Amino acid sequence: MTEHVSGRDVLRQAKELYEPYRNDVAPTGQRVAIIRFQPAENDPPDWKIKLEASKVSAEQKVKSFEHLGFQADHVVMPPGTTRAQFAEVLERANQDPRTRAIIVQFPPPAHLQPLVQRMDPAKDIDALTKGRSPYNACATAEGICRVVEPFAKDDPVIAVVGSKGFVGQGVVTTLREQGHRLMELDAGDDLRRVRDADIVVSVTGNPGILGPDHLRPHHRLVVDSGFVPQADGSVKGDVQRAAYDIPQHLTPVPGGIGPVEMATLMERVVRREVDPDAPSWKVDARPYLTKEQLTQGAQEPSPATVTAAQATQAAQVGEGRQVVGERAVGGERAVDGERAAMGGQSVGQQAAGQQTPGGSGQQAAGQLGAGGSQGPGQQASREPTAGAQAAGGAAGPQSPGSQASGSPAVGSQGAGAQGAGAQAAVGNPIAQAARLRTGAGHGGVGPGTVNPTAGPSAPARAQSPVPPKPPTPGGPGR
Ligand SMILES: Nc1nc(=O)c2c([nH]1)NC[C@@H]1CN(c3ccc(C(=O)N[C@@H](CCC(=O)O)C(=O)O)cc3)C=[N+]21
């Protein structure tokens, strides 16, 4: 019943959007440098795993930039690299006028980490030079926030697990700037608190830190930014497989935030080097149910209210944005285990001890700077194959954008109202949601409004590095 939000779709969309710039870029000989570190044979296994994730993502970046016509310099620093050697590589990239952007893959060995700050901030497209990069947050954090955006039109509480890590800090800063209500959790906190949130963003890089004790059907979106390669070739994210079917929407690992990060980097480079007005990739809105809707749906709705609410919402939905009606919450997804790709550098954090419900005892997340431990930690989840089904098609009340008022209460009322068919679904909130949606469709917003999620044809919207929220009709005045 969980719908996957596909990062692969986002990346496909970005490739189509930016491919035309290739003709402008290729003849210029512009380059992008991606620098990463290789582990020594006898390095500890967890360090090797982090550097493996770093390698996977470096390779993805090479492909992404080459797709745009840039020459990608994939620089692999061998074990035992000295400060002088690393400094020289950076200096060369700083000085080379053809090298337009530089990314140092995290984590670097502890003794080399301070040198990262020597990168020319003007070439720092992943916001590694604290406070000096042209961007406020790393590409992963920006990508995560843009995936969250269509699910966050009604002033939801957004939990950020691993809030003190490198990626977590970027997510917190960005979402706070946008006016969102946040629940910041890190090592030592009781992660079960995420049950009170509406949206969960997990950027710890601690495999399986979130499970059935933490996730709930009222979670309209769970973003898993973990990416931890396993010995058998699979990849783990922050969310346990056992919890994969609980939330309404999930970014799988692989196939989720990893590819989203690539799309974000492509967009940043194109805008910076070629066309400041290049379009931006986007994730289309999808219907979801609020906590209140789930609760109220289980009760007896008043038919009259339902009708009114439906009409209102439908109208709003209709004008507002291209809300998609289709993928229903109730849809089933075939989850096959793929891996997600998130990008993440969630550096270093270790999450709190998850299985211990109290979470105490966890470790704190590492920040980028913290020594070697900050590994890239994201994880991935699997990806849905085709999966999603549409539930009833129409943009339901819950469909994003539909709640016009900033107040959650309002939104929820409307939602609750639609619950006409809900009673039957008591005990199965997701099924209930699907029914609610179906009912909502009657308002006139037909299935015809369905857009493929993040499809390549999705209209592009101008966007700054940290995209402002598009105005919602009558929406929350954040
Ligand atoms: N400065 C810096 N920035 C980073 O963004 C950064 C980093 N350092 N260090 C390492 C982590 C890890 N990371 C990933 C990004 C994409 C995928 C990705 O695209 N994964 C694909 C799978 C790719 C494959 O399996 O080959 C997917 O999830 O579908 C994975 C991991 C970024 N990190």
Side-chain angles (χ1 to χ4, degrees), residues 20-280:
Y21 294 102
R22 200 189 155 84
N23 298 334
D24 300 318
V25 174
T28 67
Q30 292 190 1
R31 319 177 76 90
V32 175
I34 297 132
I35 304 166
R36 72 173 173 90
F37 302 88
Q38 220 174 16
E41 203 60 54
N42 56 352
D43 277 343
D46 63 321
W47 179 250
K48 288 182 169 174
I49 286 173
K50 285 171 182 163
L51 293 189
E52 178 58 25
S54 176
K55 176 183 176 208
V56 169
S57 85
E59 289 165 348
Q60 296 297 320
K61 286 167 189 170
V62 166
K63 278 202 256 176
S64 301
F65 294 125
E66 287 181 344
H67 187 82
L68 298 175
F70 286 90
Q71 293 187 37
D73 295 319
H74 185 169
V75 183
V76 181
M77 308 298 294
T81 294
T82 64
R83 289 171 214 237
Q85 288 166 333
F86 180 43
E88 198 202 318
V89 166
L90 271 180
E91 194 49 28
R92 215 184 310 134
N94 284 346
Q95 298 302 326
D96 176 14
R98 288 199 164 177
T99 298
R100 309 300 301 166
I102 304 171
I103 296 177
V104 175
Q105 290 291 106
F106 271 76
H111 68 290
L112 300 180
Q113 186 154 326
L115 296 174
V116 173
Q117 300 305 315
R118 295 200 192 176
M119 182 192 307
D120 178 354
K123 299 184 179 185
D124 179 16
I125 57 167
D126 206 20
L128 300 170
T129 58
K130 299 177 199 120
R132 295 178 297 142
S133 162
Y135 302 94
N136 291 328
C138 64
T140 303
E142 182 191 331
I144 289 170
C145 294
R146 288 168 61 181
V147 168
V148 165
E149 183 188 297
F151 292 89
K153 303 300 187 188
D154 56 340
D155 198 24
V157 170
I158 305 172
V160 180
V161 183
S163 59
K164 293 183 179 157
F166 181 65
V167 179
Q169 289 175 29
V171 169
V172 165
T173 304
T174 306
L175 293 178
R176 171 153 304 126
E177 233 164 52
Q178 295 172 344
H180 287 297
R181 293 190 286 162
L182 302 182
M183 176 191 294
E184 296 171 52
L185 298 169
D186 215 283
D189 294 328
D190 182 355
L191 298 190
R192 290 172 303 178
R193 288 179 52 212
V194 305
R195 293 187 293 204
D196 294 332
D198 299 297
I199 293 173
V200 179
V201 173
S202 191
V203 290
T204 72
N206 199 319
I209 195 166
L210 296 179
D213 275 355
H214 308 95
L215 303 186
R216 289 291 174 266
H218 72 253
H219 287 140
R220 59 183 71 165
L221 173 66
V222 172
V223 174
D224 184 348
S225 180
F227 190 89
V228 180
Q230 305 295 297
D232 65 0
S234 65
V235 180
K236 286 195 171 160
D238 286 6
V239 176
Q240 295 169 28
R241 295 292 150 169
Y244 248 60
D245 293 333
I246 298 173
Q248 297 174 33
H249 298 88
L250 174 76
T251 65
V253 177
I257 298 302
V260 165
E261 182 201 355
M262 299 307 138
T264 305
L265 283 172
M266 289 171 83
E267 182 181 308
R268 284 185 175 189
V269 168
V270 166
R271 290 196 170 189
R272 201 164 169 72
E273 302 302 331
V274 196
D275 178 8
D277 298 320
S280 47

